Structures are given as C-alpha cells and as structure tokens.
Amino acid sequence: DLFPIISTNELPLRIGADGNGENRFVGEIGRARVYNRALKAEEAAALARKQPGALERDPALVADWKFDNAKQDNQKNTTFANALGDFLPARAMGEVAVVDWPGGKAVRLEGKGFLEVANDPRLQIQKNCTLEAWIKPGKLPANGGRILDKCRVGTANGYMIDLFPGNALRLIVEWGSLQANTGTAADQ
C-alpha cells in the first residue's frame, strides 16, 4: 500500500469526452456510476443484470448519474444531480440532449457536447475503482470515444474508460490497461 495504483489530478471528471473536452463519445449514456473499490465478479454481473441490490447503497459508491433529473438555472445551464445527494452534479457542456431510455432517461451525445463533474476529493481514487456506464454507441470515429475520463490527455495519470479501437472497451489507469473486444455495435 505504499504506492498508488491510480494517480490523482486536478481535472474534472468528464462523461463523453477526454480531459481536453475532445475525443467525444457519440451515442447515448443511460447511467454512469463510480465506485472507489473493485467490485467482485458476481457484483459486476448483478449490475449487468440490472439487479444492483445493496450495491446502490454501497459505501464505496461515489457517484450515480441517472440523467432523469435535469435542471436548468437562469443562464440555461443544464445539470444532472448525483442520485446519492447534493454533491458531484454533472454539468452539460455544449449540446447534450435528454432522450427516453429503458427505465428512465439518457443523455444523447452527438459529438458536440459532454458532461463535466467538477474535481472533488471523492473523485481522487488511488487504489481500486469500478466504472459503470450503460451505453448505446452511435457511429464513432476511428479514434473511438471517451465514456468516463479523469486523465490528462496522452497520459495515464487518473482513470478512464472508452471505446477504442473499433468499439473495443478499454480501461486505463497508471499501472496499466485492460481491453476487451466486446463487439459493441453502433446503435445497439
């Protein structure tokens, strides 16, 4: 436990874009969650079956964005509340649409917008994490698209998941990366 597995940084967490607001995801995101621990295989399987049970109240759950609770302020800035409480709201940057999604709402990103969550100590994960996102990718460019990203571009000084290359799911942290050719097809 002397060395962190995941470096921290002062960047915001971006949903649908990289640390520079580029490499944007095209498609729909129906839910995004961040846990500050690695979930066990059976727990991840429960999430995949949409049967989270106690995981919705897990003390390691840092944030849970469902996108069915959009709010606009006087300047027409749209934010999405964290389902866990009045902290870590996701703010729309650019063009972000809210669309119907099985069981609620989703954000539709068409390459002209993303969501941003301000840097916060709760997002400074150093040991283990689980990043969950329910996605329906559209036609992505050759360089793929970021799903959740808290890394400086061109480095691995944080954590991120994206679809790259060829819609393969990829996780990157400082000490390495995982990649799975999931065959994630556009519009499915």
Side-chain angles (χ1 to χ4, degrees), residues 7-31:
S7 295
T8 61
N9 60 53
E10 299 302 315
L11 293 172
L13 172 71
R14 296 228 164 101
I15 302 171
D18 67 21
N20 289 341
E22 299 171 359
N23 200 9
R24 295 181 181 179
F25 180 82
V26 174
E28 297 173 4
I29 302 176
R31 189 171 198 166

Side-chain angles (χ1 to χ4, degrees), residues 41-92:
E42 59 270 14
E43 292 172 320
L47 292 178
R49 291 189 308 271
K50 295 186 180 182
Q51 298 172 338
L55 289 170
E56 289 192 324
R57 297 172 306 285
D58 192 301
L61 182 57
V62 173
D64 183 357
W65 299 282
K66 297 180 183 180
F67 309 120
D68 57 357
N69 49 9
K71 295 180 185 176
Q72 277 195 333
D73 64 17
N74 293 345
Q75 286 80 36
K76 301 207 185 253
N77 295 315
T78 302
T79 58
F80 299 89
N82 178 355
L84 302 179
D86 193 24
F87 58 94
L88 300 176
R91 189 174 120 198

Side-chain angles (χ1 to χ4, degrees), residues 135-147:
I135 62 170
K136 180 182 174 186
K139 183 164 175 38
L140 294 167
N143 63 343
R146 294 292 204 277
I147 301 168

